[in-house]
Amino acid sequence: MSLGEFDLIAKYFTRPVRRAALGIGDDCALLAPGPGMQLAVSSDMLVEGRHFLSTVAPDRLGHKALAVNLSDLAACGARPLAFTLALALPRADEVLLEGFARGLFALAEAHGIELVGGDTTQGPLNICITVMGEVPAGGALLRSGARAGDDLYVSGTVGDARLALEVFRGNAALDARAFAAVREAMERPQPRVALGVALRGLATSAIDVSDGLLGDLGHILRRSGVAARIEVDAVPRSAVLAAQPAALQRECTLAGGDDYELVFTAPPAVADRVQAAAREAGTAVTRIGRIEAGQGLRLVDREGCDVAQTFGSFDHFRS
Ligand code: ADP
Ligand code: MG
């Protein structure tokens, strides 16, 4: 006998709430952000075949669905509070639901946040999470604050998720261990929430890398009305990616996407404090270039020579 809608919600998604004023079960959830705080809200939808492959394990899907949302809060420097889950499922597949809920709640617990509501319907597999976080009023990191002279940074390493995708597509080959590592980057990204919070008051702008480093940085540049110079060889990458052909490394690091690292800017005067914030957050950050006056993006190599920019950014309606 298959599980009904309300049994499914009760069995897999209802957990006691600790911080929200009211969780699942009524018409609305109720949240109480702290005094002087603004609510930061963001939604991200995951569609099978578009954002994930049918080969992904359910627990990793649960993890990633929440991770990509937490990454948006991280990019704003917001501390996560709660989330909602709108789920369309072809059928009440308990293997999928059990694994999905396990991965989802493991990440939720790691960040001390709770599921406070949602919607469940039959349909093609589609997962939409909305996260809510809080940030001191006026203290959110925005895309619009980069200034000429700022240093440009990226957290962690970028490009592994794209390398995994290229392996799935048959365009690259890795041994089993290397493949497991890049597949983990693609399927279990770690949202840089602690780093985002630690960068409040230091970073002048920030964004998370979901569509590719250059494309996402482009949003900062346009919103801030500035240009940037990136040292492409300085962009941090894993040892697995660093062993690949140079052209593939550039494609993956600069245009890869699905990295969920933070790209941010900060004045050189606070460079030491940026590194201290990164240490406190347990996430390395690397300076990869500089913000300049004007418009556009200039890519240079180790010797300072211009690198042709042939990379696009991911756009759902163009690819
Ligand atoms: P309504 O019809 O008022 O929208 P529903 O019957 O859809 O309410 O949902 C009942 C309760 O279960 C609500 O509190 C809703 O927020 C919650 N809920 C529904 N689906 C989910 C889900 N996938 N995850 C978490 N909570 C859910
Ligand atoms: Mg409903």
Side-chain angles (χ1 to χ4, degrees), residues 11-310:
K11 182 167 178 186
Y12 292 104
F13 298 117
T14 308
R15 304 263 174 114
V17 292
R18 296 176 297 260
R19 294 167 64 194
L22 182 66
I24 291 172
D26 214 303
D27 294 308
C28 291
L30 298 173
L31 302 178
M37 303 300 265
Q38 283 176 322
L39 207 51
V41 181
S42 180
S43 295
D44 256 311
M45 185 156 67
L46 268 70
V47 176
E48 184 167 3
R50 195 74 203 168
H51 302 94
F52 60 92
L53 306 171
S54 58
T55 48
V56 68
D59 61 316
R60 291 190 166 200
L61 186 58
H63 173 100
K64 186 163 179 177
L66 182 57
V68 302
N69 277 279
L70 289 175
S71 181
D72 284 315
L73 290 184
C76 285
R79 196 179 290 285
L81 288 174
F83 65 105
T84 62
L85 168 66
L87 192 61
L89 290 167
R91 59 199 175 82
D93 174 345
E94 294 209 54
V95 173
L96 174 74
L97 284 163
E98 185 279 322
F100 179 83
R102 187 159 32 83
L104 181 82
F105 284 115
L107 186 64
E109 269 150 37
H111 288 272
I113 64 167
E114 47 205 19
L115 178 59
V116 294
D119 199 22
T120 306
T121 177
Q122 196 273 330
L125 187 56
N126 189 326
I127 303 152
C128 182
I129 288 181
T130 298
V131 280
M132 286 144 282
E134 61 177 18
V135 62
L141 306 178
L142 304 178
R143 298 176 179 186
S144 51
R147 296 289 169 262
D150 284 352
D151 288 323
L152 177 63
Y153 296 88
V154 67
S155 66
T157 63
V158 290
D160 276 359
R162 173 60 177 274
L163 180 56
L165 188 61
E166 294 303 325
V167 174
F168 275 112
R169 287 173 170 165
N171 297 333
L174 294 174
D175 65 42
R177 255 184 69 194
F179 179 55
V182 296
R183 186 175 185 177
E184 168 114 8
M186 177 172 84
E187 296 181 345
R188 285 180 45 81
Q190 298 300 323
R192 303 306 188 187
V193 171
L195 180 63
V197 170
L199 288 173
R200 281 182 200 158
L202 292 176
T204 49
S205 71
I207 191 168
D208 66 316
V209 183
S210 53
D211 297 333
L213 177 60
L214 298 189
D216 287 318
L217 173 60
H219 295 301
I220 287 185
L221 302 184
R222 278 187 296 277
R223 295 292 286 269
S224 300
V226 292
R229 171 190 161 102
I230 297 193
E231 295 150 27
V232 295
D233 299 319
V235 176
R237 66 208 69 185
S238 70
V240 171
L241 182 54
Q244 297 300 306
L248 183 60
Q249 287 187 46
R250 282 198 180 151
E251 180 77 21
C252 290
T253 51
L254 301 178
D258 248 7
D259 297 299
Y260 304 102
E261 295 295 346
L262 298 185
V263 168
F264 62 95
T265 57
V270 299
D272 289 346
R273 291 173 63 200
V274 166
Q275 291 301 336
R279 277 194 300 278
E280 179 197 319
T283 302
V285 302
T286 306
R287 182 186 175 280
I288 58 167
R290 197 172 57 208
I291 299 296
E292 298 178 334
Q295 281 184 15
L297 192 55
R298 189 169 159 215
L299 306 183
V300 297
D301 67 13
R302 210 173 272 112
E303 279 78 44
C305 297
D306 283 304
V307 172
Q309 192 185 326
T310 53

